[in-house]
Amino acid sequence: MSATQTSDVPTLLVKIFGKDQPGITAGLFDTLAAFSLDVVDIEQVVTRGRMVLCALVTQPPRELEGKLRATVHSWAESVRMQAEIISGTGDNRPRGLGRSLVTVLGHPLTAEATAQVTARITKAGGNIDRIFRLAKYPVTAVEFAVSGVETEPLRTALVTDAAALGVDIAVVAAGLHRRAQRLVVMDVDSTVIQDEVIELFAAHAGCEAEVAEVTAAAMRGELDFEQSLHARVALLEGLDASVVDKVRSEVRLTPGARTLIRTLKRLGYQVGVVSGGFTQVTDDLKERLGLDFAQANTLEIVDGKLTGRVTGEIVDRAGKARLLRRFAAEAGVPLSQTVAIGDGANDLDMLNAAGLGVAFNAKPVVRQAAHTAVNVPFLDTVLYLLGITREEVEAADTLDQQLLDRAGAEDRPETDDRAGAEGRATDEDR
């Protein structure tokens, strides 16, 4: 029976609630089967061991309705559950035009913030059709399915003041495209890794403080990136090329980076990095992490020494956006299906060009301009913005480990942070 056919048909909403236990769903429908009913809708939720099961079914002949009610209540009592049966007509009312998914990340997610977010959805003209928890750690991630308002005005109503509410909010259009193949392109310094690579090189040249000051000004958008790059690289002149291996060994992955990339690859996504840093590091990351694309600036090395210059096309703010488009074309992915992640002003063009631009622990100017912001120190929280649950991530990790065990592998996968990133558990420990 189609939705249009049930619009004026008498229906019963059968609600069962109580302590969760095996067999409740089967028991309810076995009870209802004796009355030859059609099932119109089913919803079930379990929260902290308490179940709410709702079944919308066609109404039996009037002479049987009383018996049905008595039978359902008797069965519910026998399994120590409670029952409520409500008469009505048809199915749910039609949802309004405009379908969006609102993902809210909290660390923690407070009742006050939840109240503010839901009130703003209502004020914007939206109706919350369904709520689903995506993750309970390391952050609480909750997804709201909203109808009745278009995505862009809803995003404007929610994202602007998200930081003031102490949460991160992403608003995307609902639809099949969310499950389609995507391309994810990330900045490297202070995004995929915790470090600024040029500062690692500068530490070996004895000019770390000077380089860090220029880097910070460039990331805030106060200096032209290309000019600042040349100025900083010039300070590295004369360094022995062996410093490259030392810097590679010092690079620390951002917590969650390996999990994010590993999970995306399992789902068939293509993943790349673009960096205002150097290919001497990004090429190593591409190999270690199994990336599909990687592009950065290249330090010139002559006779085993750094010359203080870079070679080739400069990867700057505009260059990152160009590379996003190039990678998308090579991957065969529409630009609307791309996700870009970055933290600095030189990422802004890339973030705005992507279908979803995510500011990761970003400078204020970047948070204000991006589609959404993530302000917790775990890069894999981006997965929740794509509708991927923590349970799905962990199930895939478990399967991978089982396959390794069956193959007789002795080593576990590398941890997320190499040396145990300063007070943060690795992915495998989380």
Side-chain angles (χ1 to χ4, degrees):
M1 185 178 295
S2 70
T4 54
Q5 289 174 315
T6 63
S7 60
D8 57 357
V9 172
T11 53
L12 295 179
L13 175 60
V14 181
K15 178 180 176 183
I16 305 296
F17 51 99
K19 186 177 180 180
D20 186 30
Q21 53 187 294
I24 295 300
T25 306
L28 172 62
F29 284 97
D30 186 54
T31 302
L32 295 174
F35 296 90
S36 300
L37 307 175
D38 293 337
V39 176
V40 179
D41 196 4
I42 309 171
E43 292 279 354
Q44 180 173 308
V45 176
V46 178
T47 304
R48 208 186 66 180
R50 308 297 291 185
M51 167 194 275
V52 178
L53 169 61
C54 293
L56 187 65
V57 297
T58 53
Q59 195 174 53
R62 288 192 176 277
E63 63 271 18
L64 294 179
E65 184 176 339
K67 183 179 179 181
L68 180 148
R69 288 174 178 270
T71 303
V72 169
H73 280 285
S74 177
W75 167 81
E77 185 177 346
S78 73
V79 293
R80 298 184 297 280
M81 303 289 281
Q82 297 182 61
E84 182 180 7
I85 303 176
I86 304 170
S87 299
T89 302
D91 198 348
N92 298 317
R93 63 182 177 81
R95 294 187 176 101
L97 296 177
R99 305 282 180 84
S100 301
L101 297 170
V102 178
T103 306
V104 180
L105 309 180
H107 189 56
L109 178 61
T110 66
E112 180 182 4
T114 305
Q116 292 283 344
V117 170
T118 53
R120 292 180 189 209
I121 290 173
T122 301
K123 186 176 180 180
N127 183 72
I128 298 172
D129 299 321
R130 186 170 299 173
I131 305 173
F132 178 72
R133 187 179 70 181
L134 296 167
K136 61 183 178 181
Y137 69 95
V139 300
T140 300
V142 180
E143 181 180 271
F144 298 83
V146 178
S147 62
V149 59
E150 295 297 334
T151 299
E152 284 306 319
L154 181 61
R155 178 184 289 137
T156 300
L158 293 175
V159 173
T160 305
D161 298 324
L165 300 176
V167 294
D168 298 324
I169 303 176
V171 182
V172 298
L176 290 175
H177 65 276
R178 200 182 193 201
R179 293 295 183 183
Q181 184 189 50
R182 289 194 179 191
L183 167 70
V184 178
V185 177
M186 298 175 281
D187 175 42
V188 175
D189 293 9
S190 298
T191 301
V192 174
I193 67 174
Q194 301 179 57
D195 314 279
E196 292 288 334
V197 168
I198 196 165
E199 293 177 15
L200 296 180
F201 277 100
H204 292 280
C207 57
E208 184 177 12
E210 186 177 353
V211 165
E213 183 178 349
V214 178
T215 298
M219 292 302 98
R220 291 192 300 266
E222 297 171 2
L223 295 176
D224 173 80
F225 177 80
E226 183 171 350
Q227 291 178 339
S228 70
L229 174 68
H230 289 305
R232 288 174 290 172
V233 171
L235 297 171
L236 307 180
E237 183 180 2
L239 272 179
D240 192 89
S242 62
V243 76
V244 170
D245 288 334
K246 294 177 183 178
V247 167
R248 285 176 174 174
S249 69
E250 293 165 353
V251 165
R252 301 166 300 162
L253 290 175
T254 295
R258 188 178 295 279
T259 295
L260 171 65
I261 295 166
R262 185 171 61 218
T263 303
L264 292 173
K265 294 292 291 178
R266 286 178 183 141
L267 292 171
Y269 289 28
Q270 297 191 59
V271 186
V273 294
V274 291
S275 177
F278 309 111
T279 56
Q280 282 82 357
V281 170
T282 57
D283 287 350
D284 180 59
L285 289 173
K286 181 180 181 182
E287 182 178 354
R288 284 174 51 202
L289 300 175
L291 300 170
D292 299 286
F293 305 97
Q295 189 69 45
N297 300 302
T298 300
L299 291 169
E300 184 181 63
I301 298 175
V302 176
D303 297 330
K305 302 286 184 181
L306 273 66
T307 66
R309 297 187 294 271
V310 292
T311 63
E313 181 183 0
I314 297 297
V315 178
D316 56 8
R317 176 170 169 168
K320 288 187 174 185
R322 284 196 302 272
L323 288 165
L324 172 70
R325 294 185 175 93
R326 182 193 305 172
F327 294 167
E330 293 178 10
V333 174
L335 201 60
S336 61
Q337 289 298 106
T338 62
V339 179
I341 310 169
D343 74 302
N346 66 328
D347 298 313
L348 278 173
D349 289 3
M350 176 178 72
L351 297 180
N352 289 329
L356 176 64
V358 181
F360 180 72
N361 291 310
K363 284 70 178 174
V365 65
V366 183
R367 289 201 304 268
Q368 292 167 8
H371 297 132
T372 189
V374 170
N375 295 299
V376 293
F378 316 122
L379 192 57
D380 53 343
T381 55
V382 173
L383 292 169
Y384 311 142
L385 306 184
L386 304 178
I388 301 165
T389 69
R390 188 71 208 174
E391 287 79 7
E392 289 171 327
V393 174
E394 291 176 346
D397 283 342
T398 299
L399 177 60
D400 269 11
Q401 189 56 51
Q402 290 173 347
L403 293 174
L404 285 170
D405 291 343
R406 290 173 188 168
E410 296 180 357
D411 297 326
R412 290 180 62 79
E414 282 187 74
T415 56
D416 234 350
D417 49 8
R418 288 194 160 212
E422 301 169 356
R424 161 62 160 70
T426 66
D427 273 6
E428 283 71 24
D429 294 330
R430 212 159 56 193

